[in-house]
Amino acid sequence: MELAKPSFIRESLKLAAEPNIISFGGGNPDANYFPADALLSACEEALRLDWRNALQYAITEGNIELRKILLALMEHIGISAELSQIIITSGSQQGLDMTGKVFLDPGDKVIVESPTYMGAINAFKYYQPQFLEVAMDEQGMDMDDLERVLNAHPDAKFIYTVPDFQNPTGRVLSGERRRRLVELAEQYDVMVIEDNPYYFLRFEGTGVPPVKAYDKYGRVIFLGSMSKILSPSLRIGWIIGPETALEKYVILKQAADIHTNELSQRMVAQFFLHENLDQHIALINKQYKVKKDLMVQKISDCFPAHISFTKPEGGLFLWLELPEKIDAQEIFQCAYADERVIFVPGETFYANGGHRNTIRLCFSSMSTFEIDSGMDRLAAVLKNFIS
Amino acid sequence: MELAKPSFIRESLKLAAEPNIISFGGGNPDANYFPADALLSACEEALRLDWRNALQYAITEGNIELRKILLALMEHIGISAELSQIIITSGSQQGLDMTGKVFLDPGDKVIVESPTYMGAINAFKYYQPQFLEVAMDEQGMDMDDLERVLNAHPDAKFIYTVPDFQNPTGRVLSGERRRRLVELAEQYDVMVIEDNPYYFLRFEGTGVPPVKAYDKYGRVIFLGSMSKILSPSLRIGWIIGPETALEKYVILKQAADIHTNELSQRMVAQFFLHENLDQHIALINKQYKVKKDLMVQKISDCFPAHISFTKPEGGLFLWLELPEKIDAQEIFQCAYADERVIFVPGETFYANGGHRNTIRLCFSSMSTFEIDSGMDRLAAVLKNFIS
């Protein structure tokens, strides 16, 4: 056990708690929009209906009522599945850890986007795979490059993708590429792990269905999450996939934590029954668009030239590429020490490291005042590094 | 990934949900005593105080206020530790899984009681250890046999014990043996994993402090749980151990589920601040003693002779040993099919199998009426197997 290093992002949560810090690190939703009253009512209702079972041990697969509710939500975005094809997880992070447990032995090959979600790198890393990176552009994972990698490594165990408002880049995989991704997976007999916590956080433009919606073959395992649309604290995620795979996840979950917090599962179910999720999400997205627009505006107005950046239509993040010789770790140290503003250096999102000239900025968790001031401060630091 | 089989106990939860089944399987606390009103108030209070942080991402180590409360609870039973020596887990089952992750590589040796908790066997099994069983008697793990095993296998990674009201036998490790266990661990340079979810469920006799209270060397990692004294649904456990070990657990927990449900952690903290846990536990224990006494009485009165059984002073379980050639799996099939009463055949609690003539009975989850009737039904089945 000498594989894992503390997550930079989780550790930076501690910095973010220091006074007067403006944090564009982490990946926190805006806490001001958590529906606290509705969740308290949901707790009351869950207990009123059946407090004995709401507080007792429960089945590993997850609360049946919640699973049915989530199946309906998924149906709405193009994913059809049966009750036996969905399980609840303790956040979608648990889905990632179990994916490693189910599929990986040391030395196995995993295909990831370059860059990709660092929580997935950390989860898989324990199982000692070899990471194969696939290039991205503004349309998401490059399918020609994916085919090249699959050709060179036909024994790869799975392809991991965050297709919507990717963490860290904010990019969206195009519909045409989703179709081709599924076909390539079938052709090369490999699974696709679709990690999609940001799907509903689209605040402009037009979306395409999840990759799983294109899956005629049972090749795609979809990971969903309540963390970004309701509350991360409750740690409620879900997995939709072929029954044969899910049976393995359930066995591992029994050994890992028996089941996910049952009271919270029932709270989420009651929230869905009594509240309007679409309205709640619309409220969040309206705020996030304002914040993203402001951040983009500040970059355009105040940052040095020669910085390219994404302009995401949803999610929580945007992504900066600085001139090649610039080291974002050094910028981080100065920004933290001199200007009390933090972010995540992009190298942590590359499975095999490198790309030290990249930066992830989270626009969701700070207020517009803090974004305004924090981007000014960051601009001041950047000007010392980039002429 | 072809190691794990579905947990018999978790699967039998599904049988237990069938109509008219009397279940002495599972290990459920009596749901009638869950403090539902107090937990709803605790939820309200946790949200009222700071709903933004109660619903947000949180640190992996666990809520600081809850950890301080648990440190005070532990101090009370003889365990002294600092804030850096306690972390919150998603139930103590997660503590077991992470213990395997931290300490075990394939082929490593793990010392367990014979029999031992099957959830621990399942958690460790994924990491492919060799299980070494140590004999037990009415005073718990036999220390001479432990020394013999340590002598033969000085490279063992840890000794796993459930010292109080052991699952499955209900036995308690004597104080003298606790002292010797710690000394042997020091002498042979091996860790002790003390899994102690039942410590507070003593309803008669006099207890001894946890093994960790005897630990002068930093050899013992203590796993605690809210599941038996408050509610299993909330999945709140804790680990107390040396900082060097806990740092590894924290890194793995980051990758496994980021953090434990933060709202529930705050609910438990509020429960402790506003309710009297001692009183609540006294109430539970009073009922459990009545049920245990009834079950012991029924065995004495109605079961065939030649069955030996434990008479636990606490916990949830008692343990039967039938004459040697009797197969409890066969009894299970008849009891389920003919009499609608279920239990757990004891073989599942032996890390290397065998001992098919043993049975675990849970006395906590059924009412006294159901115990009365269920034991009559079980007696009728047993009489067909044992003359």
Side-chain angles (χ1 to χ4, degrees):
Chain A
M1 217 310 291
E2 38 177 318
L3 298 159
K5 274 174 276 177
S7 147
F8 185 87
I9 293 186
R10 288 299 126 203
E11 293 305 312
S12 80
L13 263 183
K14 290 173 192 166
L15 301 185
E18 292 178 11
N20 303 320
I21 284 277
I22 292 180
S23 173
F24 302 135
N28 288 4
D30 186 338
N32 291 303
Y33 298 97
F34 291 144
D37 288 333
L39 285 170
L40 179 58
S41 300
C43 182
E44 192 165 2
E45 191 64 7
L47 289 171
R48 193 187 64 75
L49 285 169
D50 184 3
W51 58 270
R52 286 178 184 79
N53 283 309
L55 296 173
Q56 186 58 283
Y57 281 113
I59 57 171
T60 304
E61 291 84 345
N63 181 270
I64 290 175
E65 186 168 22
L66 177 60
R67 283 152 71 205
K68 287 180 177 166
I69 286 167
L70 292 174
L71 284 176
L73 181 73
M74 294 293 93
E75 184 77 46
H76 199 67
I77 61 171
I79 298 175
S80 294
E82 309 284 315
L83 192 61
S84 58
Q85 296 169 327
I86 181 169
I87 63 170
I88 305 296
T89 55
S90 301
S92 70
Q93 186 68 32
Q94 186 180 44
L96 294 173
D97 182 44
M98 294 198 299
T99 295
K101 256 187 176 171
V102 166
F103 290 104
L104 299 180
D105 288 311
D108 280 353
K109 291 163 183 170
V110 169
I111 298 175
V112 298
E113 288 155 347
S114 179
T116 188
Y117 170 50
M118 69 160 304
I121 299 174
N122 281 341
F124 301 153
K125 202 186 267 173
Y126 171 81
Y127 306 97
Q128 304 178 53
Q130 177 186 351
F131 288 104
L132 308 171
E133 298 182 48
V134 173
M136 295 185 86
D137 61 23
E138 291 311 306
Q139 305 297 306
M141 203 195 292
D142 178 327
M143 288 299 129
D144 292 334
D145 198 45
L146 173 62
E147 187 158 16
R148 180 191 61 76
V149 171
L150 283 167
N151 229 324
H153 305 277
D155 55 342
K157 285 299 168 73
F158 58 80
I159 304 160
Y160 170 74
T161 179
V162 184
D164 286 288
F165 317 118
Q166 194 224 24
N167 183 354
T169 63
R171 288 166 181 151
V172 174
L173 188 68
S174 71
E176 192 37 59
R177 291 190 187 182
R178 288 172 199 233
R179 198 180 309 278
R180 188 158 165 219
L181 172 57
V182 171
E183 294 301 327
L184 284 171
E186 174 69 8
Q187 184 184 333
Y188 286 89
D189 189 21
V190 62
M191 295 297 286
V192 175
I193 308 299
E194 176 181 22
D195 185 8
N196 210 332
Y198 313 108
Y199 185 83
F200 293 99
L201 297 187
R202 173 175 286 280
F203 39 72
E204 60 196 26
T206 311
V208 285
V211 177
K212 179 72 184 160
Y214 295 82
D215 178 23
K216 304 188 285 280
Y217 311 108
R219 285 275 158 209
V220 180
I221 293 176
F222 176 96
L223 308 185
S225 173
M226 281 294 147
S227 295
K228 308 307 188 292
I229 54 179
L230 195 55
S231 154
S233 158
L234 304 181
R235 313 305 305 126
I236 304 287
W238 64 96
I239 304 179
I240 294 180
E243 235 173 296
T244 46
L246 284 205
E247 279 165 11
K248 293 178 189 168
Y249 281 85
V250 169
I251 290 167
L252 293 177
K253 184 168 168 62
Q254 282 183 343
D257 65 0
I258 307 182
H259 62 80
T260 296
N261 189 308
E262 172 73 7
L263 179 59
S264 286
Q265 290 187 63
R266 290 176 184 229
M267 284 170 63
V268 174
Q270 290 305 316
F271 180 91
F272 270 81
L273 293 173
H274 296 286
E275 305 290 328
N276 186 326
L277 182 73
D278 289 346
Q279 237 168 49
H280 177 66
I281 290 174
L283 176 74
I284 300 170
N285 282 344
K286 195 175 153 197
Q287 308 303 322
Y288 286 0
K289 175 170 163 47
V290 170
K291 292 179 176 193
K292 184 273 296 177
D293 284 345
L294 175 60
M295 200 175 255
V296 165
Q297 192 61 46
K298 296 294 291 192
I299 295 172
S300 306
D301 292 352
C302 317
F303 276 23
H306 313 301
I307 294 179
S308 66
F309 58 99
T310 58
K311 291 172 189 163
E313 297 185 329
L316 309 182
F317 307 108
L318 63 76
W319 180 249
L320 306 183
E321 291 194 21
L322 313 179
E324 259 195 37
K325 281 165 299 182
I326 306 293
D327 185 343
Q329 275 287 1
E330 286 175 30
I331 295 172
F332 179 90
Q333 296 306 336
C334 290
Y336 168 61
D338 304 341
E339 297 286 350
R340 311 294 285 162
V341 56
I342 61 176
F343 56 81
V344 185
E347 185 179 18
T348 48
F349 300 99
Y350 289 91
N352 301 307
H355 305 262
R356 295 177 68 93
N357 60 323
T358 56
I359 281 177
R360 188 192 76 176
L361 296 178
C362 171
F363 51 78
S364 56
S365 60
M366 295 288 107
S367 70
T368 50
F369 296 107
E370 289 161 321
I371 293 173
D372 195 49
S373 156
M375 293 298 279
D376 283 339
R377 299 193 209 176
L378 193 51
V381 177
L382 286 167
K383 279 170 189 157
N384 293 331
F385 287 84
I386 306 166
S387 52
Chain B
M1 218 309 294
E2 38 176 318
L3 298 161
K5 275 173 275 178
S7 148
F8 185 89
I9 294 187
R10 288 298 125 205
E11 294 306 312
S12 79
L13 264 182
K14 290 174 192 166
L15 301 185
E18 292 179 10
N20 302 320
I21 283 277
I22 293 180
S23 172
F24 302 135
N28 287 5
D30 186 338
N32 291 303
Y33 298 98
F34 292 144
D37 289 332
L39 285 170
L40 179 58
S41 300
C43 181
E44 193 165 0
E45 191 64 6
L47 290 171
R48 193 188 64 76
L49 285 169
D50 184 3
W51 58 271
R52 286 177 184 80
N53 283 309
L55 297 173
Q56 187 58 283
Y57 281 113
I59 57 171
T60 304
E61 292 84 344
N63 181 271
I64 290 176
E65 185 168 23
L66 177 60
R67 283 152 71 205
K68 287 180 178 168
I69 286 167
L70 292 174
L71 284 176
L73 181 73
M74 294 293 93
E75 184 77 45
H76 200 66
I77 61 171
I79 297 175
S80 295
E82 308 284 316
L83 192 62
S84 58
Q85 297 169 326
I86 181 170
I87 63 170
I88 305 296
T89 55
S90 301
S92 68
Q93 186 68 34
Q94 185 180 46
L96 294 173
D97 182 43
M98 293 198 299
T99 295
K101 256 186 176 170
V102 166
F103 290 104
L104 299 180
D105 289 310
D108 281 352
K109 291 165 184 169
V110 170
I111 299 176
V112 297
E113 288 154 348
S114 178
T116 188
Y117 170 51
M118 71 159 303
I121 300 173
N122 281 341
F124 301 152
K125 204 187 266 173
Y126 171 81
Y127 306 96
Q128 305 180 51
Q130 177 186 350
F131 288 105
L132 308 171
E133 297 183 48
V134 173
M136 294 183 87
D137 60 24
E138 291 310 306
Q139 304 298 306
M141 203 194 295
D142 179 326
M143 289 299 127
D144 291 335
D145 198 45
L146 174 62
E147 187 158 16
R148 181 191 61 76
V149 171
L150 283 168
N151 229 323
H153 305 277
D155 55 341
K157 286 299 169 76
F158 59 79
I159 304 160
Y160 171 74
T161 179
V162 185
D164 287 288
F165 317 119
Q166 195 226 23
N167 183 355
T169 63
R171 288 168 183 151
V172 174
L173 188 67
S174 72
E176 193 36 58
R177 290 190 188 182
R178 288 173 198 231
R179 199 179 308 276
R180 189 159 164 217
L181 171 57
V182 171
E183 294 302 326
L184 284 171
E186 175 67 8
Q187 185 185 334
Y188 285 89
D189 189 21
V190 62
M191 295 298 284
V192 175
I193 308 299
E194 175 181 22
D195 185 7
N196 210 332
Y198 314 109
Y199 184 83
F200 293 99
L201 297 187
R202 172 174 288 279
F203 38 73
E204 59 196 26
T206 311
V208 286
V211 177
K212 179 72 182 160
Y214 294 83
D215 178 23
K216 304 188 286 278
Y217 311 108
R219 285 274 159 209
V220 180
I221 293 176
F222 176 97
L223 308 185
S225 173
M226 281 295 146
S227 294
K228 309 306 188 292
I229 55 178
L230 195 55
S231 155
S233 157
L234 304 181
R235 313 305 305 125
I236 305 287
W238 62 97
I239 304 181
I240 293 179
E243 235 175 296
T244 46
L246 284 205
E247 278 165 11
K248 293 178 187 165
Y249 281 84
V250 169
I251 290 167
L252 293 176
K253 184 168 168 61
Q254 282 183 344
D257 65 2
I258 306 182
H259 62 79
T260 295
N261 189 307
E262 172 74 6
L263 178 60
S264 287
Q265 290 187 61
R266 290 176 184 229
M267 285 169 63
V268 173
Q270 290 304 316
F271 181 90
F272 269 81
L273 293 173
H274 296 286
E275 305 290 326
N276 186 326
L277 182 73
D278 289 345
Q279 235 167 52
H280 177 65
I281 291 174
L283 176 74
I284 300 170
N285 283 343
K286 195 175 154 196
Q287 309 301 323
Y288 286 2
K289 175 170 163 47
V290 170
K291 293 178 176 192
K292 185 272 296 175
D293 284 346
L294 175 61
M295 198 174 256
V296 165
Q297 191 62 48
K298 296 294 291 192
I299 296 173
S300 305
D301 292 351
C302 317
F303 276 23
H306 313 301
I307 294 179
S308 67
F309 57 99
T310 58
K311 291 171 189 163
E313 296 185 328
L316 309 182
F317 306 109
L318 62 77
W319 181 250
L320 307 181
E321 291 195 21
L322 314 179
E324 261 197 32
K325 280 166 300 184
I326 306 294
D327 185 344
Q329 275 287 1
E330 286 175 28
I331 295 172
F332 179 90
Q333 297 305 335
C334 290
Y336 169 61
D338 303 342
E339 298 285 350
R340 311 293 287 160
V341 55
I342 62 175
F343 55 83
V344 184
E347 185 181 17
T348 46
F349 300 99
Y350 289 91
N352 301 307
H355 306 263
R356 295 176 68 93
N357 61 322
T358 56
I359 282 177
R360 189 192 76 176
L361 296 178
C362 171
F363 52 77
S364 56
S365 60
M366 295 288 108
S367 70
T368 50
F369 296 107
E370 289 162 321
I371 292 173
D372 194 49
S373 157
M375 293 298 278
D376 283 340
R377 299 194 209 175
L378 193 51
V381 177
L382 286 168
K383 278 171 189 155
N384 294 331
F385 287 86
I386 305 167
S387 52

